[in-house]
């Protein structure tokens, strides 16, 4: 925060003509260059700064991509379960979302091909599937790229928490192994810095750069210059890399606290799916315990969780809870887990648990819920 | 700028939980309250703060209103000539834009009724028609409200430079005389403060508040908290009102410099249409001089003007130039006018002037040009 306040002060002391006018709708050059350099070094993405477009968060990136590429009725592969914010943005274009199941290796490409071979766009979260947490296998990545090449479709790689791979070697991004320019990479500073910034970016493959630029010129007057300038300086001076490294370690500790507390306090009713990345994980509920009822009960105790079913376009085999850990200390996490234990007891006593998944949100395609678990 | 830097520093020294998290998608309460109070006092709009929604500039407001109210094929009255940014935003929804002519009393309501009696939305700029500069008469305002009531349609009042009425008494806003809640008021800080902020707002009539809120929840994760906080303080501490007052006087001086210079140097080739408000005016060209050719020539001399035809959905009787004056000192304005004189001479010598309006952009409905002249 001290560095941030210093850089903010520095920005407002610049000459007026640099800080007051309309921003470049494509993003400030200094930030586009800083992002390109960061991605080259940290995500293996060899891009020019002209391919980087700065937008008001990942959701605006999805809306922009949809406006550029999708016509009403176009088929879009969408992970099931999958990210709510992206779902809302893509639906807005009138495209048809085709739910494609996800397993421990990520999106099941062959099922996507079976359901919609001529897809126009596929939305995936390869580093850390949102919300199930799988890391997409290399085999699947190659199969997905091949499917996009055959259909002439595009792929959105939403790398929302990919910087926070705290265990094992991070896998190469889809964008970095894409040889035919089908992948659009989307990143957000909401996770790597903080959400109140409202800053995200996308990296367009070379032959989409012009079209994306035209859409931004027509529909978006750009995002605030001041915040772009401060973030650019924050990256260039090295504070960003330091911050991400620190957070990665912190999130690992917090994940371990969660995993341990659930294992000790809640097994076998709740079972954490091991995760190696990011800011949240999922935990499956013992059959007979209802995730929606659990969520309501937890909320009354001040604990925010979300049923996996809320992220679904069609029902899945086993429901559970999405558990965020990045914003809480180990002590807070342990206290929250104890609260969940009370909920499970209460639920069992009430006999309120349904014997199978109740599909609370199946067919619900538009959600007021924010994307973040 | 000194006040601004001070308020910015103050913001970043607040407790972290107040400045880092996701913003309220409807806008920060402090800013919504400050805007409501300002509008009550300065624009005669009696609204509750819950009716005020903060967005990333006026264009996002138009997109949001379109997403909330319009289905593909819906008829939208659109001033001809009219604002380019708004045009792009409304077209995006698939609505059909119906060009409605504008005269010295504003939009010609009876022509709108003739062309599309069952309009769903009407887009107007009553305080200062964009770009022709007319102030909509009270008679027309009442007729427009009546037409909306009969058709069950809505009206967007884009008050983009309405704060800068420097001559004569400012007229009551459409919103303030709307008895049946058909008008959505849109304002922007791009004009009253500065464009790099990317902040605007809308005031929804009471029975649209819920729907607008739902759309914002689903599609917009809000705008940066920091800038909202600084602007709220800037308004509450009185700097905003002072700034607007100062600018109003400054813009009047600049307008007078422009009007005088054009009258002395360019009559009868170029004829300024008297304006009482805002940041730009139009000047009609003597028949035989081509506005598009003038624009290209002026650009080569570093002077930015725009042909009125660029703002048109269908051809108008007489073309001319849109001339911004708010960003230049009187000396710069006089120098620019001399440049235009050279252009006119060159054009006359080349014999390049078309004998009638050439319709350069008629039928062009999507433009890369930014909205501001």
């Amino acid at each position: 925060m001290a560095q941030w306040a210093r850089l903010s002060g520095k920005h407002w002391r610049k000459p007026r003509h640099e800080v007051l006018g309309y921003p470049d709708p494509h993003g400030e050059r200094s930030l586009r260059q800083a992002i390109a350099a960061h991605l080259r070094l940290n995500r293996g993405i060899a891009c020019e700064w002209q391919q980087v477009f700065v937008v008001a968060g990942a959701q605006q990136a999805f809306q922009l991509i949809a406006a550029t590429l999708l016509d009403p009725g176009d088929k879009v592969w969408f992970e099931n379960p999958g990210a709510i914010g992206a779902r809302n943005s893509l639906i807005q274009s009138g495209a048809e979302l085709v739910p494609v199941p996800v397993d421990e290796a990520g999106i099941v490409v062959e099922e996507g091909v079976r359901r919609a071979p001529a897809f126009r766009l596929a939305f995936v979260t390869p580093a850390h599937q949102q919300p199930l947490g799988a890391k997409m296998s290399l085999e699947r990545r190659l199969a997905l790229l091949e499917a996009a090449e055959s259909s002439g479709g595009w792929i959105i790689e939403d790398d929302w928490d990919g910087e926070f791979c705290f265990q094992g070697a991070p896998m190469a991004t889809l964008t970095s192994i894409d040889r035919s320019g089908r992948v659009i990479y989307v990143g957000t500073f909401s996770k790597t810095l903080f959400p109140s910034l409202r800053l995200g970016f996308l990296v367009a493959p070379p032959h989409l750069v012009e079209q994306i630029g035209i859409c931004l010129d027509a529909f978006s007057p750009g995002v605030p210059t001041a915040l772009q300038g401060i973030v650019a300086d924050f990256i260039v001076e090295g504070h960003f890399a330091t911050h991400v490294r620190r957070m990665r370690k912190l999130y690992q500790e917090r994940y371990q606290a969660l995993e341990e507390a659930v294992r000790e306090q809640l097994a076998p009713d709740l079972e954490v799916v091991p995760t190696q990345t990011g800011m949240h994980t999922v935990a499956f509920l013992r059959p007979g315990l209802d995730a929606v009822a659990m969520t309501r009960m937890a909320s009354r105790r001040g604990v925010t969780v979300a049923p996996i079913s809320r992220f679904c376009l069609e029902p899945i085999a086993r429901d559970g809870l999405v558990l965020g850990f990045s914003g809480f200390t180990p002590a807070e996490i342990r206290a929250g887990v104890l609260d969940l234990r009370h909920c499970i007891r209460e639920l069992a006593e009430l006999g309120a648990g349904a014997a199978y998944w109740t599909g609370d949100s199946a067919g619900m395609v538009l959600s007021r819920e924010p994307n973040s678990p």
Side-chain angles (χ1 to χ4, degrees), chain A:
Chain A
M1 288 308 291
Q3 294 296 356
W4 190 268
R6 181 182 61 79
L7 293 174
S8 170
K10 188 180 141 199
H11 178 84
W12 292 115
R13 284 191 304 274
K14 285 184 196 165
R16 289 189 189 193
H17 70 272
E18 283 181 38
V19 302
L20 297 184
Y22 277 96
D24 183 332
H26 299 185
E28 294 303 303
R29 182 165 165 165
S30 61
L31 181 56
R32 297 169 81 186
Q33 288 175 329
I35 291 170
H38 174 82
L39 292 177
R40 218 172 288 135
L41 213 64
N42 295 278
R43 309 300 292 150
I45 296 172
C47 63
E48 302 298 321
W49 67 266
Q50 292 90 340
Q51 290 171 259
V52 178
F53 294 95
V54 180
V55 292
Q59 201 168 349
Q60 203 210 336
F62 306 141
Q63 284 166 2
L64 175 68
I65 294 165
T68 309
L69 295 180
L70 298 180
D71 285 321
D74 277 349
K75 309 266 190 194
V76 176
W77 287 10
F78 201 81
E79 294 174 337
N80 187 64
I84 293 172
R87 184 168 75 183
N88 287 352
S89 299
L90 297 174
I91 284 170
Q92 209 180 355
S93 68
E96 183 194 326
L97 263 54
V98 178
V100 179
V102 168
D103 64 17
E104 64 290 338
I107 192 168
V108 183
V109 176
E110 60 184 20
E111 184 60 20
V113 172
R114 205 184 61 73
R115 294 189 183 195
F119 67 101
R120 173 77 173 156
L121 184 68
F123 175 86
V124 290
T125 47
H128 190 222
Q129 205 273 329
Q130 161 80 303
L132 293 184
K135 188 197 283 188
M136 196 188 293
S137 69
L138 182 60
E139 202 185 340
R140 286 280 171 81
R141 289 175 195 234
L142 295 171
L144 179 60
L145 288 169
E146 204 187 302
E149 282 166 39
S150 324
S151 81
W154 304 92
I155 300 166
I156 294 177
E157 174 173 35
D158 178 9
D159 197 34
W160 66 291
D161 66 353
E163 302 265 3
F164 297 123
C165 176
F166 48 67
Q167 209 169 320
M171 197 172 278
T173 56
L174 204 56
T175 307
S176 65
I177 59 167
D178 170 25
R179 293 279 161 261
S180 46
R182 312 305 304 174
V183 182
I184 307 155
Y185 178 94
V186 175
T188 173
F189 290 113
S190 292
K191 309 300 176 186
T192 47
L193 286 170
F194 47 90
S196 75
L197 270 182
R198 306 315 313 132
L199 273 185
F201 55 90
L202 63 89
V203 182
H207 41 286
L208 270 188
V209 166
E210 195 190 342
Q211 275 166 279
I212 298 263
I214 290 172
C215 277
L216 274 169
D217 288 340
F219 300 125
S220 165
V223 291
T225 314
L227 301 174
Q228 293 190 65
I230 299 168
V231 173
D233 285 351
F234 200 77
I235 296 174
V236 170
E237 295 188 4
H239 311 302
F240 182 71
T242 307
H243 171 72
V244 167
R245 260 197 313 276
R246 268 194 210 145
M247 290 301 113
R248 197 181 290 141
K249 194 162 167 296
L250 195 75
Y251 294 166
Q252 175 165 32
E253 287 164 17
R254 291 174 174 189
Y255 166 68
Q256 281 164 351
L258 176 69
E259 192 274 332
E260 199 177 289
V262 173
R263 185 158 31 83
E264 285 173 6
Q265 303 288 339
L266 301 179
D269 294 323
L270 203 63
E271 186 195 321
V272 167
V273 177
T275 195
Q276 304 173 342
T277 296
M279 314 175 79
H280 82 274
T281 189
V282 293
F284 285 112
L285 273 167
R286 171 171 63 75
L289 288 172
D290 182 66
V292 175
M294 270 291 285
T295 300
R296 285 200 201 105
M297 237 167 223
S299 161
R300 280 200 291 268
R301 289 178 174 269
V303 177
T304 305
V305 297
I308 297 174
S309 55
R310 187 178 290 165
F311 294 75
C312 289
L313 287 170
E314 63 180 18
I316 47 169
R318 196 174 169 194
D319 205 359
L321 301 177
V322 180
L323 305 171
F325 51 78
S326 62
F328 307 94
T329 64
E332 288 168 332
I333 288 170
R334 282 187 288 269
V337 166
L338 285 182
D339 278 315
L340 290 183
R341 190 163 76 168
H342 286 292
C343 295
I344 288 176
R345 282 205 191 138
E346 234 176 300
L347 209 57
E349 278 163 23
L350 281 170
Y356 42 81
W357 188 83
T358 51
D360 160 74
S361 67
M364 182 193 72
V365 286
L366 190 64
S367 172
R368 293 185 72 161
E369 308 297 328
N371 194 17
S372 51

